Amino acid sequence: MLKRKLTKVLENWLKSGHEKALLLTGARQVGKTTAVREFAGKFYKHFVEVNFVKNPIAKRAFDGGLSTAEIVMNLSAMGYGPFNKGETLIFLDEIQECPNARTAIKFLVEEGLFDIIESGSLLGINYKPVASYPVGFEEEVKVFPLDFEEFLWARNIGDEVIGRLRDSYQNLQPIPDFIHQQISKFYREYLVVGGMPEVVQKFVTDPDFQKTLKLQKNILTTYRSDITNYAGNQQVLVKRIFDAMPSELGKEDKRFVLANLEKGASLRKYEDPTQWLVDAGIAYYSINTRSFELPFEAVENRRLFKLYMVDTGLLCSNLLKNMQFQVMNGDISINEGALTENFVAATLSAKQIPLHYYDKKSRQELDFVFPENGKISIIEVKSGDDYKRHASMDAAIREHKSEIERAIVLCKGNVAKDDVLYLPQYMSMFL
């Protein structure tokens, strides 16, 4: 059983009074269902799990009246239950398949007989319209793959070690070299394995790495199947973008160039298919900004963007083709550092930090910029040994020193500070 931060989120919801339904969103295979099952087993006498994909007939329980009594009667007739007031958690999984169930949340919550958790993998794409959204009756939580700290837990790294890393980050003090080398080794593992729970579990329990790769391929196949099943008449374009993401990230500038998909490709044609992947939780946008101004949303250029994958391990299995052991043995600069930059993008996204990159006429390129304490912090991700060479960052500091909160280079090295803060890449988890 993997230790997840999501468990604490579920427990806090319960302690706070659970007066709203809890809505878990996120890409497939990130561990939503498993976390709810473990939580229910610990805190509830009865657990009713309704999965609208595995059991489509369950949708008929919501076809009539939407009172709690009628819904419970219908579900009971299908063999679900028992439904004991105050002792039962109802889990409506893959709720995007049943719009009426989403509408019914308001009435289930208002009557307050049972606790309600919903889960949806494709809620963002709205392929089935909902008659009435339960505004004010849901608390939404986005769920992501295991982050690096959770991966360290899976590798039996104790909280005292992670606490030592956090102290080094906060106090800007180098980490003892032995600890730095060990955590760097686990970081390279994470670049290859990623954070999909089933993949991580297999990796830590079975020495046959080919089984880990097989699970990653299965997840990628599931994503492609979702595109076929849910992207409608855009599925060809969505698949084209999905398949191009690894190669586009493998370029030096990482920018997603639509012209590489087909001659004359336009944003007008590909914007909605790209947004489909973002809304499905499979990809993260990073939008260009050419101005050192906040908020970035007011000065961004949405015609220029990068597109990162939800999980670095999935990117690795799709990009490197049997070069994973090269990464684990220390070469993280493969494919222009695509894995390391994707790792930082996914880490920031899980912290709800909107992704932007700075590009001033291709002369100053900063991998990530984000607001911090009313100023702008800038990040460059360096996967090679020459991480103290950063001309674009130096130029940005010269021109915008008063506007910059922190200038951070995420690198292979240990913690160091001069005009620039050097941090090991794995310390992204503390940003």
Side-chain angles (χ1 to χ4, degrees), residues 314-369:
L314 297 183
L315 172 63
C316 185
S317 70
N318 220 5
L319 178 67
L320 295 189
K321 310 297 183 187
N322 301 318
M323 297 173 68
Q324 285 86 350
F325 287 103
Q326 194 170 334
V327 175
M328 287 196 283
N329 287 329
D331 187 359
I332 61 174
S333 62
I334 288 177
N335 287 78
E336 301 291 348
L339 297 182
T340 56
E341 192 166 319
N342 199 101
F343 166 79
V344 176
T347 300
L348 295 178
S349 295
K351 293 174 176 290
Q352 310 292 310
I353 298 174
L355 301 182
H356 289 89
Y357 72 97
Y358 178 74
D359 184 351
K360 184 178 181 181
K361 298 180 180 178
S362 298
R363 289 187 293 108
Q364 290 182 29
E365 299 179 11
L366 301 172
D367 297 328
F368 300 97
V369 292

Coordinates of all heavy atoms in Angstrom, one line a residue, residues 314-369:
L314 N 5.7 8.2 -18.0 CA 5.1 7.9 -19.3 C 5.8 8.6 -20.4 O 5.9 8.0 -21.5 CB 3.6 8.4 -19.2 CG 2.7 7.8 -18.2 CD1 1.3 8.3 -18.3 CD2 2.7 6.2 -18.3
L315 N 6.3 9.8 -20.2 CA 7.1 10.5 -21.2 C 8.3 9.7 -21.5 O 8.7 9.5 -22.7 CB 7.4 11.9 -20.8 CG 8.4 12.6 -21.7 CD1 7.8 12.9 -23.1 CD2 8.8 14.0 -21.1
C316 N 9.0 9.2 -20.5 CA 10.2 8.5 -20.7 C 10.0 7.2 -21.5 O 10.7 6.9 -22.4 CB 10.8 8.1 -19.3 SG 12.4 7.3 -19.4
S317 N 8.9 6.5 -21.1 CA 8.7 5.2 -21.9 C 8.3 5.4 -23.3 O 8.5 4.6 -24.2 CB 7.5 4.4 -21.2 OG 6.3 5.1 -21.3
N318 N 7.8 6.6 -23.6 CA 7.4 7.0 -25.0 C 8.5 7.6 -25.8 O 8.5 7.5 -27.0 CB 6.2 8.0 -24.9 CG 5.2 7.7 -26.0 OD1 5.2 6.7 -26.7 ND2 4.2 8.5 -26.0
L319 N 9.5 8.2 -25.1 CA 10.5 9.0 -25.7 C 11.8 8.2 -25.9 O 12.4 8.3 -27.0 CB 10.7 10.3 -24.9 CG 11.8 11.2 -25.4 CD1 11.4 11.8 -26.7 CD2 12.1 12.3 -24.3
L320 N 12.3 7.5 -24.9 CA 13.6 7.0 -24.9 C 13.8 5.7 -25.5 O 14.9 5.3 -25.9 CB 14.2 7.0 -23.4 CG 14.3 8.4 -22.8 CD1 15.0 8.3 -21.5 CD2 15.0 9.4 -23.7
K321 N 12.8 4.8 -25.5 CA 12.9 3.5 -26.2 C 14.1 2.8 -25.7 O 15.1 2.7 -26.4 CB 12.9 3.7 -27.7 CG 11.9 4.6 -28.3 CD 10.5 4.1 -28.1 CE 9.4 5.0 -28.7 NZ 8.1 4.6 -28.4
N322 N 14.0 2.2 -24.5 CA 15.0 1.3 -24.0 C 16.3 2.0 -23.6 O 17.4 1.4 -23.5 CB 15.4 0.2 -25.0 CG 14.2 -0.7 -25.4 OD1 13.4 -1.0 -24.6 ND2 14.1 -0.9 -26.7
M323 N 16.2 3.3 -23.2 CA 17.4 4.0 -22.7 C 17.2 4.4 -21.3 O 17.9 5.2 -20.7 CB 17.6 5.3 -23.6 CG 18.0 5.0 -25.0 SD 18.1 6.4 -26.1 CE 19.5 7.2 -25.4
Q324 N 16.2 3.7 -20.6 CA 15.9 4.1 -19.2 C 17.1 3.9 -18.3 O 17.3 4.6 -17.4 CB 14.7 3.3 -18.7 CG 13.4 3.8 -19.3 CD 13.0 3.2 -20.6 OE1 13.9 2.5 -21.3 NE2 11.8 3.4 -21.1
F325 N 17.8 2.8 -18.5 CA 18.9 2.5 -17.6 C 20.1 3.5 -17.7 O 20.8 3.8 -16.8 CB 19.4 1.1 -17.8 CG 18.5 0.0 -17.3 CD1 17.7 -0.7 -18.2 CD2 18.4 -0.3 -16.0 CE1 16.8 -1.7 -17.7 CE2 17.6 -1.2 -15.5 CZ 16.8 -1.9 -16.4
Q326 N 20.2 4.1 -18.9 CA 21.1 5.2 -19.1 C 20.8 6.4 -18.2 O 21.7 7.0 -17.6 CB 21.1 5.6 -20.6 CG 22.3 6.4 -21.0 CD 22.4 6.6 -22.5 OE1 21.9 5.8 -23.3 NE2 23.0 7.7 -22.9
V327 N 19.5 6.7 -18.1 CA 19.1 7.8 -17.2 C 19.3 7.4 -15.8 O 19.9 8.2 -15.0 CB 17.6 8.0 -17.4 CG1 17.1 9.1 -16.4 CG2 17.3 8.5 -18.8
M328 N 19.0 6.2 -15.4 CA 19.1 5.8 -14.0 C 20.6 5.7 -13.6 O 21.0 5.9 -12.4 CB 18.5 4.4 -13.7 CG 17.0 4.6 -13.7 SD 16.1 3.1 -12.9 CE 16.2 1.9 -14.3
N329 N 21.5 5.6 -14.6 CA 22.9 5.5 -14.3 C 23.6 6.9 -14.3 O 24.8 7.0 -14.2 CB 23.6 4.6 -15.3 CG 23.3 3.1 -14.9 OD1 23.1 2.8 -13.8 ND2 23.3 2.3 -16.0
G330 N 22.8 8.0 -14.6 CA 23.3 9.3 -14.4 C 23.1 10.3 -15.6 O 23.3 11.5 -15.4
D331 N 22.8 9.8 -16.8 CA 22.7 10.7 -17.9 C 21.3 11.2 -18.0 O 20.4 10.7 -18.7 CB 23.1 9.9 -19.2 CG 23.2 10.9 -20.4 OD1 22.9 12.1 -20.2 OD2 23.5 10.4 -21.5
I332 N 21.0 12.3 -17.3 CA 19.7 12.9 -17.4 C 19.6 14.0 -18.4 O 18.5 14.7 -18.5 CB 19.3 13.5 -16.0 CG1 20.3 14.6 -15.6 CG2 19.3 12.4 -14.9 CD1 19.9 15.3 -14.3
S333 N 20.6 14.2 -19.2 CA 20.6 15.2 -20.3 C 20.1 14.7 -21.6 O 20.1 15.4 -22.6 CB 22.0 15.8 -20.4 OG 22.9 14.8 -20.9
I334 N 19.7 13.4 -21.6 CA 19.2 12.8 -22.8 C 18.0 13.6 -23.4 O 17.2 14.1 -22.7 CB 18.8 11.3 -22.5 CG1 20.0 10.4 -22.3 CG2 17.9 10.7 -23.6 CD1 19.7 9.0 -21.9
N335 N 18.0 13.6 -24.7 CA 17.0 14.4 -25.4 C 16.8 15.8 -24.9 O 15.7 16.2 -24.6 CB 15.6 13.6 -25.3 CG 15.6 12.4 -26.2 OD1 16.2 11.3 -25.9 ND2 15.0 12.5 -27.4
E336 N 17.9 16.5 -24.8 CA 17.9 17.9 -24.5 C 17.3 18.2 -23.1 O 16.7 19.2 -22.8 CB 17.2 18.8 -25.5 CG 17.8 18.7 -26.9 CD 19.2 19.3 -27.0 OE1 19.6 20.0 -26.0 OE2 19.9 19.1 -28.0
G337 N 17.4 17.2 -22.2 CA 16.8 17.4 -20.9 C 15.3 17.4 -20.8 O 14.7 18.0 -19.9
A338 N 14.7 16.7 -21.7 CA 13.2 16.7 -21.8 C 12.6 16.1 -20.5 O 11.6 16.7 -20.0 CB 12.7 15.8 -23.0
L339 N 13.2 15.1 -19.9 CA 12.6 14.5 -18.7 C 12.7 15.5 -17.5 O 11.8 15.6 -16.7 CB 13.4 13.2 -18.4 CG 13.3 12.1 -19.4 CD1 14.0 10.8 -18.9 CD2 11.8 11.7 -19.7
T340 N 13.8 16.1 -17.4 CA 14.0 17.0 -16.2 C 13.1 18.2 -16.3 O 12.5 18.6 -15.3 CB 15.5 17.4 -16.1 OG1 15.9 18.1 -17.3 CG2 16.4 16.3 -15.9
E341 N 12.9 18.8 -17.5 CA 12.0 19.9 -17.6 C 10.6 19.5 -17.4 O 9.8 20.2 -16.7 CB 12.2 20.6 -18.9 CG 11.5 22.0 -19.0 CD 11.9 22.8 -20.2 OE1 13.1 22.8 -20.5 OE2 11.0 23.4 -20.8
N342 N 10.2 18.3 -17.9 CA 8.9 17.8 -17.7 C 8.6 17.5 -16.2 O 7.5 17.8 -15.7 CB 8.7 16.5 -18.5 CG 7.2 16.2 -18.7 OD1 6.6 16.5 -19.7 ND2 6.5 15.6 -17.7
F343 N 9.7 17.0 -15.5 CA 9.5 16.8 -14.1 C 9.2 18.1 -13.3 O 8.3 18.1 -12.5 CB 10.8 16.2 -13.5 CG 11.0 16.3 -12.0 CD1 10.3 15.3 -11.2 CD2 11.7 17.3 -11.4 CE1 10.4 15.4 -9.8 CE2 11.8 17.3 -10.0 CZ 11.2 16.4 -9.2
V344 N 9.9 19.2 -13.6 CA 9.6 20.5 -13.0 C 8.2 21.0 -13.3 O 7.5 21.4 -12.5 CB 10.7 21.5 -13.4 CG1 10.4 22.8 -12.7 CG2 12.1 21.0 -12.9
A345 N 7.8 20.8 -14.6 CA 6.5 21.3 -15.0 C 5.4 20.5 -14.3 O 4.4 21.1 -13.8 CB 6.3 21.1 -16.5
A346 N 5.6 19.2 -14.2 CA 4.6 18.4 -13.5 C 4.5 18.7 -12.0 O 3.5 18.8 -11.4 CB 4.8 16.9 -13.7
T347 N 5.7 19.0 -11.4 CA 5.8 19.3 -10.0 C 5.1 20.7 -9.7 O 4.3 20.8 -8.7 CB 7.2 19.4 -9.5 OG1 7.9 18.1 -9.7 CG2 7.3 19.8 -8.1
L348 N 5.3 21.7 -10.5 CA 4.7 23.0 -10.3 C 3.2 22.9 -10.6 O 2.4 23.5 -9.8 CB 5.3 24.0 -11.3 CG 6.8 24.4 -11.1 CD1 7.3 25.3 -12.1 CD2 7.0 24.9 -9.7
S349 N 2.8 22.1 -11.6 CA 1.4 22.0 -11.9 C 0.6 21.3 -10.7 O -0.5 21.8 -10.4 CB 1.2 21.1 -13.1 OG 1.7 21.8 -14.3
A350 N 1.2 20.3 -10.1 CA 0.6 19.7 -8.9 C 0.5 20.6 -7.7 O -0.4 20.4 -6.9 CB 1.4 18.4 -8.5
K351 N 1.3 21.7 -7.7 CA 1.2 22.7 -6.7 C 0.3 23.8 -7.1 O 0.2 24.9 -6.4 CB 2.6 23.3 -6.4 CG 3.5 22.3 -5.7 CD 4.9 22.8 -5.6 CE 5.9 21.9 -4.9 NZ 5.5 21.8 -3.4
Q352 N -0.5 23.6 -8.2 CA -1.4 24.6 -8.7 C -0.7 25.9 -9.1 O -1.3 27.0 -9.0 CB -2.5 24.9 -7.7 CG -3.2 23.7 -7.1 CD -4.0 22.9 -8.1 OE1 -4.8 23.5 -8.8 NE2 -3.8 21.6 -8.2
I353 N 0.5 25.9 -9.5 CA 1.2 27.0 -10.1 C 1.1 27.0 -11.6 O 1.6 26.1 -12.3 CB 2.7 27.0 -9.7 CG1 2.9 27.0 -8.2 CG2 3.5 28.1 -10.3 CD1 4.3 26.8 -7.7
P354 N 0.4 28.0 -12.1 CA 0.2 28.1 -13.6 C 1.6 28.2 -14.3 O 2.5 28.8 -13.8 CB -0.6 29.4 -13.8 CG -1.3 29.6 -12.5 CD -0.3 29.1 -11.5
L355 N 1.7 27.5 -15.4 CA 3.0 27.4 -16.1 C 3.1 28.5 -17.1 O 2.3 28.6 -18.0 CB 3.2 26.0 -16.7 CG 3.1 24.8 -15.8 CD1 3.3 23.5 -16.6 CD2 4.1 24.9 -14.7
H356 N 4.2 29.2 -17.0 CA 4.6 30.2 -18.1 C 6.1 30.1 -18.3 O 6.9 29.8 -17.4 CB 4.2 31.6 -17.7 CG 2.8 31.9 -17.6 ND1 2.0 31.7 -16.5 CD2 1.9 32.4 -18.6 CE1 0.7 32.1 -16.8 NE2 0.7 32.5 -18.0
Y357 N 6.5 30.4 -19.5 CA 7.9 30.5 -19.8 C 8.2 31.8 -20.5 O 7.3 32.4 -21.1 CB 8.4 29.3 -20.7 CG 8.0 29.4 -22.2 CD1 8.8 29.9 -23.1 CD2 6.7 28.9 -22.5 CE1 8.4 30.0 -24.5 CE2 6.3 28.9 -23.9 CZ 7.2 29.5 -24.8 OH 6.8 29.5 -26.1
Y358 N 9.4 32.3 -20.3 CA 9.7 33.7 -20.8 C 10.6 33.5 -22.0 O 11.6 32.8 -22.0 CB 10.4 34.5 -19.7 CG 10.9 35.8 -20.1 CD1 10.0 36.9 -20.3 CD2 12.2 36.1 -20.3 CE1 10.4 38.2 -20.6 CE2 12.7 37.4 -20.7 CZ 11.7 38.4 -20.8 OH 12.2 39.7 -21.2
D359 N 10.3 34.2 -23.1 CA 11.0 34.2 -24.3 C 11.0 35.5 -25.0 O 9.9 36.0 -25.4 CB 10.5 33.1 -25.3 CG 11.3 32.9 -26.5 OD1 12.2 33.7 -26.7 OD2 11.0 32.0 -27.3
K360 N 12.1 36.2 -25.0 CA 12.2 37.5 -25.5 C 13.0 37.5 -26.8 O 14.2 37.5 -26.9 CB 12.9 38.5 -24.6 CG 13.0 39.9 -25.1 CD 13.6 40.8 -24.0 CE 13.6 42.3 -24.5 NZ 14.3 43.2 -23.5
K361 N 12.2 37.3 -27.9 CA 12.8 37.3 -29.3 C 13.9 36.3 -29.4 O 14.9 36.5 -30.1 CB 13.3 38.7 -29.7 CG 12.2 39.7 -29.7 CD 12.8 41.1 -30.1 CE 11.6 42.2 -30.1 NZ 12.2 43.5 -30.5
S362 N 13.7 35.1 -28.7 CA 14.6 34.0 -28.8 C 16.0 34.4 -28.3 O 17.0 33.6 -28.6 CB 14.7 33.4 -30.2 OG 13.4 32.9 -30.6
R363 N 16.2 35.5 -27.6 CA 17.5 35.9 -27.1 C 17.6 35.6 -25.6 O 18.7 35.4 -25.0 CB 17.8 37.3 -27.4 CG 18.1 37.6 -28.9 CD 18.5 39.0 -29.2 NE 17.4 40.0 -28.9 CZ 17.4 40.8 -27.9 NH1 18.4 40.8 -27.0 NH2 16.4 41.7 -27.7
Q364 N 16.5 35.7 -24.9 CA 16.4 35.4 -23.5 C 15.3 34.4 -23.3 O 14.1 34.6 -23.5 CB 16.1 36.6 -22.7 CG 17.2 37.6 -22.6 CD 16.8 38.8 -21.7 OE1 16.0 38.7 -20.8 NE2 17.4 40.0 -22.0
E365 N 15.7 33.2 -22.9 CA 14.7 32.1 -22.8 C 14.8 31.5 -21.3 O 15.9 31.0 -20.9 CB 14.9 31.0 -23.8 CG 14.8 31.4 -25.2 CD 15.0 30.3 -26.2 OE1 15.1 29.2 -25.8 OE2 15.2 30.7 -27.4
L366 N 13.8 31.6 -20.6 CA 13.7 31.1 -19.2 C 12.6 30.0 -19.2 O 11.5 30.3 -19.6 CB 13.4 32.2 -18.2 CG 14.4 33.4 -18.2 CD1 13.8 34.6 -17.4 CD2 15.7 33.0 -17.7
D367 N 13.0 28.9 -18.6 CA 12.1 27.7 -18.7 C 10.8 27.9 -18.0 O 9.7 27.5 -18.4 CB 12.8 26.5 -18.1 CG 14.1 26.1 -18.9 OD1 14.1 26.3 -20.1 OD2 15.0 25.6 -18.3
F368 N 10.8 28.6 -16.8 CA 9.6 28.8 -16.0 C 9.7 30.2 -15.3 O 10.8 30.6 -14.8 CB 9.4 27.7 -14.9 CG 9.3 26.4 -15.5 CD1 10.4 25.5 -15.6 CD2 8.1 25.9 -16.0 CE1 10.3 24.2 -16.1 CE2 8.0 24.6 -16.5 CZ 9.0 23.8 -16.6
V369 N 8.6 30.9 -15.3 CA 8.5 32.1 -14.5 C 7.2 32.0 -13.7 O 6.2 31.5 -14.2 CB 8.5 33.4 -15.4 CG1 9.9 33.6 -16.0 CG2 7.4 33.3 -16.4

